[in-house]
Amino acid sequence: LAKTTQPISMDSYEGQEVNITCSHNNIATNDYITWYQQFPSQGPRFIIQGYKTKVTNEVASLFIPADRKSSTLSLPRVSLSDTAVYYCLVGRGGSQGNLIFGKGTKLSVKP
Amino acid sequence: NAGVTQTPKFQVLKTGQSMTLQCAQDMNHNSMYWYRQDPGMGLRLIYYSASEGTTDKGEVPNGYNVSRLNKREFSLRLESAAPSQTSVYFCASSTGLAGLLNHNEQFFGPGTRLTVL
């Protein structure tokens, strides 16, 4: 299973763009990169998934370089409500049991 | 749609007691999962069910049993609770289908906070 490494915590201010980078040196050919968001006292929520290059949805963008050994979640113009823990996961898109949630990155957005 | 529901929301047990955590989903998903989350930690997979009638161990299955009662319901049982099982338990479900256009996104329930004294 591909292990991921991401910063334990990050601070930002409202209105700024936040980039959270995840390292996954041992990513396999069939693996996708998925990000989840978790608010306190809630279960995680899917944000975005990608395989290579760039993926964008209404919430975030995901940048994946050609070697796929890392990825960057970009949150545009964060607000206080974006304060949460963000998890980077690597695994097959259709996999059932081999997604591993690490400790995630705790993002704190300040006014 | 209620999504994924879990009962109870809170539970306090004494060491050695048993209990079953219930989980149900109304999204017609094939796959269901049980995770535990300890304070300040990520989620760890206990058991999962890829489809109705099948169950498999995850990362931390010891001390737990599961039952996939039907397509909607997936229960987690603690036969003899221990203080080390104090945690927040999350149930999740996903379509379980592979494919380039399918994220197999997991939908999580609100969690059950369990304390074992």
Side-chain angles (χ1 to χ4, degrees), chain A residues 97, chain B residues 45-48 55-62:
Chain B
L45 184 65
I46 304 171
Y47 271 93
Y48 68 100
T55 60
D56 285 285
K57 296 179 180 179
E59 184 184 357
V60 288
N62 292 343

Side-chain angles (χ1 to χ4, degrees), chain B residues 14-82:
Chain B
K14 294 181 180 179
T15 297
Q17 286 186 316
S18 63
M19 79 160 295
T20 301
L21 280 65
Q22 306 287 353
C23 174
Q25 52 90 10
D26 61 2
M27 296 174 281
N28 199 34
H29 283 168
N30 293 308
S31 300
M32 298 185 74
Y33 316 79
W34 276 106
Y35 293 90
R36 61 176 288 174
Q37 185 172 36
D38 300 327
M41 303 291 287
L43 283 77
R44 291 186 291 171
L45 184 65
I46 304 171
Y47 271 93
Y48 68 100
S49 171
S51 61
E52 186 179 355
T54 68
T55 60
D56 285 285
K57 296 179 180 179
E59 184 184 357
V60 288
N62 292 343
Y64 306 94
N65 285 302
V66 290
S67 295
R68 184 73 183 268
L69 304 172
N70 47 56
K71 192 171 186 178
R72 289 187 63 250
E73 298 172 288
F74 189 38
S75 64
L76 178 72
R77 183 162 179 82
L78 287 71
E79 291 290 352
S80 179

Side-chain angles (χ1 to χ4, degrees), chain A residues 42-110:
Chain A
Q42 294 186 26
R45 182 180 71 167
F46 173 92
I47 301 176
I48 196 166
Q49 186 183 81
Y51 184 79
K52 61 181 178 181
T53 64
K54 176 183 175 182
V55 179
T56 297
N57 62 22
E58 64 278 5
V59 177
S61 293
L62 180 59
F63 298 92
I64 305 168
D67 66 6
R68 304 200 327 122
K69 293 184 182 300
S70 66
S71 59
T72 299
L73 174 73
S74 181
L75 304 173
R77 295 186 298 282
V78 295
S79 64
L80 295 176
S81 63
D82 291 315
T83 294
V85 178
Y86 293 83
Y87 297 96
C88 167
L89 293 81
V90 172
R92 286 194 296 276
S95 65
Q96 279 81 49
N98 67 350
L99 288 180
I100 295 179
F101 286 79
K103 294 184 179 180
T105 298
K106 185 174 183 179
L107 173 65
S108 298
V109 180
K110 302 174 183 178

Side-chain angles (χ1 to χ4, degrees), chain A residues 32 36 38 44 87 93 95-96 102, chain B residues 33 37 42 96 100 104 106 108:
Chain A
Y32 283 73
Y36 280 79
Q38 185 179 26
Y87 297 96
S95 65
Q96 279 81 49
Chain B
Y33 316 79
Q37 185 172 36
L100 284 176
N104 197 29
Q106 293 190 23
F108 285 79

Side-chain angles (χ1 to χ4, degrees), chain A residues 1-12:
Chain A
L1 297 176
K3 182 180 176 181
T4 60
T5 302
Q6 50 184 127
I8 296 295
S9 63
M10 294 182 68
D11 292 331
S12 182

Side-chain angles (χ1 to χ4, degrees), chain A residues 20-57:
Chain A
I20 306 174
T21 297
C22 179
S23 172
H24 28 79
N25 291 320
N26 296 324
I27 190 169
T29 302
N30 294 333
D31 286 342
Y32 283 73
I33 300 152
T34 310
W35 287 79
Y36 280 79
Q37 174 192 57
Q38 185 179 26
F39 297 115
S41 301
Q42 294 186 26
R45 182 180 71 167
F46 173 92
I47 301 176
I48 196 166
Q49 186 183 81
Y51 184 79
K52 61 181 178 181
T53 64
K54 176 183 175 182
V55 179
T56 297
N57 62 22

